[in-house]
Amino acid sequence: MQHTSDFLKKSSSSKPLVFYLSYDGILDPVGRSQILPYLLELQRDLHFILVSYEKDFNSTSFHQMRTFLAQTSILWFPIKFDRKIPILSTLLNLIKGRKLTSYIFSRYPIAVAHARSYVAAWILYHFIRKYNTPFVFDMRGFWVDERIDGHIWKKNFFTNILYTYFKNLEQKFIHHSSHIISLTHVASQWMQKNWNVKHEKISVIPCCTSYISFDPSLINNEEANHLRDTLLIPERSFILGYIGSTGTWYLIDEMIDFFKELKKQRQDAYFLLVVNHIDHLVKQKILSENSIVLVERVPYHLIPMYIHLMDAVIMFIKPAFSKIASSPIKMAEAFAMNKPVIINQNIGDTKLIEEYQLGIIVKELSKDSYRDAAMKLIHSSFKDIRSISRTYFDITYGSKMYFRVYQSLMHQS
């Protein structure tokens, strides 16, 4: 409580106070890469109240994070994420969020409220209207349509009601927000055309990464060689890599099919998959294939080392309408490590990849397209990916963009 008392004194100082609400936890991989680095960068000019939903209050990392944040200009209110009973647990999480938000608005001089995604916007919506607080709707993609496109919500009478309810809410968030953050230019243009959102109301900020943490010059070559030997990948092999999840959106089977075409042209090719969690049946299938190496649950600080081993990073994503608003986190990390990306078309701002020669776009999820793309990959010489991409995908760029948004809203209020 001492930190809270001190923070109240700080928050009445010259630095404005931003209330940042996220349904993701900052101890989750997404939170560690897409929330905390921005706030740490911005805290020099702003105070933050951060509310996040955390899955484990008893872990060492949780207590370390609390101690660390106590030394910053970020006051952290973690909410225990309940997931025991479907639907009921979600309602409980929302109620806890509403109660805490009510307390915060009544106690702190909030200059701007920032909702990261739709659930956070739902929690904040009543209070930003009650207190007339400038409101940033940080969409993180077309969340409602993703529920349907990804079959997260199975089509039935109940989900039809849910879909209609949240689509109506979506328009309220769009209409009543002071500013909208879109991950892609394609989604921004779509909203302008189909929802009549004014251009000046939207800022495009992709999923960025720290070009300081993801820096190939920091890699110890001896350690990298030892890791490759541990993975039983021969020296000078061509390594195609994938990092991330294996469910819902990412097309593991299609990526393996691409690798098979690559293998025909580079017999020394290996496919290195670094995944958080994998279904048992999918795991069995992967391990039955030749020259595929599977690694599970790699600590975040070791990810740069694994990307360093890769010659190219692949990410095939299920094509759907909602994916025009997506910006894969691992794309920025690959660019920072100076690695080209292979991705299927119509996923977010993929045109940037061709325009700036940051990788290869696969036109179709077909054998012929895989063969053409694999041949292009082998015979292309990608240069300066890190330096070319840095101006748009470095966390410092994203932070400056967020600060510009906050500043403009504070001047308006």
Side-chain angles (χ1 to χ4, degrees):
M1 294 305 291
Q2 182 62 42
H3 180 46
T4 303
S5 175
D6 293 341
F7 191 85
L8 269 172
K9 294 174 184 176
K10 287 182 188 177
S11 62
S12 61
S13 69
S14 58
K15 290 200 298 187
L17 176 61
V18 176
F19 178 22
Y20 191 109
L21 176 59
S22 169
Y23 201 58
D24 291 309
I26 58 169
L27 296 174
D28 297 337
V30 169
R32 283 187 182 276
S33 68
Q34 296 301 306
I35 298 173
L36 193 59
Y38 291 98
L39 302 193
L40 292 174
E41 185 85 15
L42 290 164
Q43 64 157 338
R44 289 173 296 187
D45 301 297
L46 301 163
H47 288 301
F48 281 92
I49 288 178
L50 169 61
V51 173
S52 62
Y53 284 79
E54 305 297 334
K55 296 175 179 65
D56 189 355
F57 270 46
N58 299 314
S59 66
T60 301
S61 56
F62 177 87
H63 296 293
Q64 288 173 340
M65 183 63 73
R66 188 182 281 284
T67 301
F68 170 71
L69 291 180
Q71 311 306 314
T72 69
S73 292
I74 303 167
L75 180 58
W76 186 31
F77 286 96
I79 297 175
K80 188 169 181 59
F81 184 81
D82 195 300
R83 49 183 169 179
K84 293 176 183 176
I85 306 171
I87 301 177
L88 187 61
S89 292
T90 301
L91 290 173
L92 180 61
N93 289 333
L94 295 176
I95 290 168
K96 287 189 287 188
R98 277 285 184 97
K99 285 184 176 179
L100 180 55
T101 299
S102 178
Y103 166 80
I104 290 168
F105 266 92
S106 66
R107 186 171 173 81
Y108 294 93
I110 297 166
V112 174
H114 183 140
R116 190 181 191 278
S117 194
Y118 287 60
V119 177
W122 185 89
I123 293 169
L124 274 176
Y125 183 67
H126 166 76
F127 300 100
I128 57 102
R129 300 198 70 191
K130 178 180 178 181
Y131 290 91
N132 198 29
T133 305
F135 168 48
V136 177
F137 179 31
D138 195 349
M139 297 182 72
R140 319 310 301 174
F142 292 154
W143 182 82
V144 188
D145 291 290
E146 283 182 344
R147 306 298 100 184
I148 301 298
D149 291 344
H151 304 295
I152 300 165
W153 289 351
K154 307 299 180 185
K155 286 190 176 181
N156 55 45
F157 177 75
F158 176 68
T159 55
N160 286 342
I161 294 173
L162 263 183
Y163 181 80
T164 302
Y165 172 73
F166 276 103
K167 287 299 284 185
N168 288 334
L169 273 182
E170 181 179 61
Q171 288 307 305
K172 289 181 179 179
F173 300 156
I174 294 291
H175 178 73
H176 291 289
S177 60
S178 308
H179 204 83
I180 299 164
I181 307 296
S182 170
L183 292 176
T184 71
H185 290 281
V186 178
S188 171
Q189 291 159 8
W190 193 93
M191 287 188 282
Q192 291 172 54
K193 180 181 178 181
N194 295 279
W195 291 344
N196 297 316
V197 182
K198 293 182 179 179
H199 170 75
E200 57 270 22
K201 190 176 180 177
I202 307 175
S203 291
V204 178
I205 307 176
C207 287
C208 300
T209 196
S210 169
Y211 276 55
I212 295 174
S213 300
F214 285 79
D215 183 349
S217 69
L218 298 179
I219 299 297
N220 182 302
N221 286 327
E222 286 188 12
E223 291 179 3
N225 291 335
H226 176 70
L227 175 59
R228 191 194 62 249
D229 292 342
T230 302
L231 297 171
L232 303 179
I233 299 176
E235 191 177 356
R236 302 185 188 282
S237 300
F238 187 96
I239 303 176
L240 178 70
Y242 171 74
I243 299 177
S245 305
T246 58
T248 308
W249 290 110
Y250 288 94
L251 304 174
I252 296 297
D253 288 345
E254 287 80 357
M255 287 190 269
I256 291 174
D257 289 341
F258 174 89
F259 171 69
K260 288 177 180 177
E261 291 302 314
L262 174 67
K263 184 79 173 171
K264 290 176 184 177
Q265 300 178 46
R266 280 290 301 256
Q267 293 182 0
D268 64 340
Y270 279 76
F271 190 9
L272 174 58
L273 290 101
V274 181
V275 302
N276 301 324
H277 173 74
I278 191 164
D279 179 84
H280 178 68
L281 293 176
V282 177
K283 183 175 182 177
Q284 282 185 320
K285 180 177 181 179
I286 289 172
L287 294 177
S288 69
E289 300 283 351
N290 292 326
S291 304
I292 297 183
V293 179
L294 178 67
V295 183
E296 296 180 73
R297 297 181 182 86
V298 171
Y300 184 69
H301 72 277
L302 291 178
I303 294 297
M305 178 79 76
Y306 278 86
I307 298 178
H308 178 74
L309 293 179
M310 301 169 182
D311 292 284
V313 178
I314 190 170
M315 49 190 76
F316 284 174
I317 300 169
K318 179 182 177 181
F321 160 73
S322 60
K323 291 294 103 180
I324 67 170
S326 290
S327 173
I329 296 169
K330 298 305 175 186
M331 188 161 69
E333 293 174 357
F335 292 156
M337 294 301 293
N338 208 38
K339 304 297 179 180
V341 162
I342 301 102
I343 190 169
N344 51 315
Q345 68 177 356
N346 299 323
I347 306 298
D349 289 332
T350 45
K351 288 184 179 179
L352 290 172
I353 294 173
E354 277 190 342
E355 185 178 346
Y356 294 100
Q357 297 183 324
L358 302 173
I360 293 169
I361 297 176
V362 176
K363 305 302 180 184
E364 295 177 349
L365 297 173
S366 68
K367 189 174 181 178
D368 288 344
S369 291
Y370 300 158
R371 183 179 61 250
D372 293 344
M375 189 176 297
K376 189 175 180 181
L377 174 63
I378 290 169
H379 294 100
S380 295
S381 178
F382 297 97
K383 296 179 180 178
D384 303 321
I385 289 174
R386 176 179 166 86
S387 59
I388 293 169
S389 63
R390 186 166 195 165
T391 54
Y392 189 60
F393 288 99
D394 192 351
I395 207 91
T396 55
Y397 165 79
S399 299
K400 286 176 184 175
M401 290 292 290
Y402 277 119
F403 184 69
R404 191 179 301 172
V405 170
Y406 294 152
Q407 220 173 18
S408 67
L409 298 183
M410 289 168 192
H411 289 155
Q412 290 174 18
S413 59

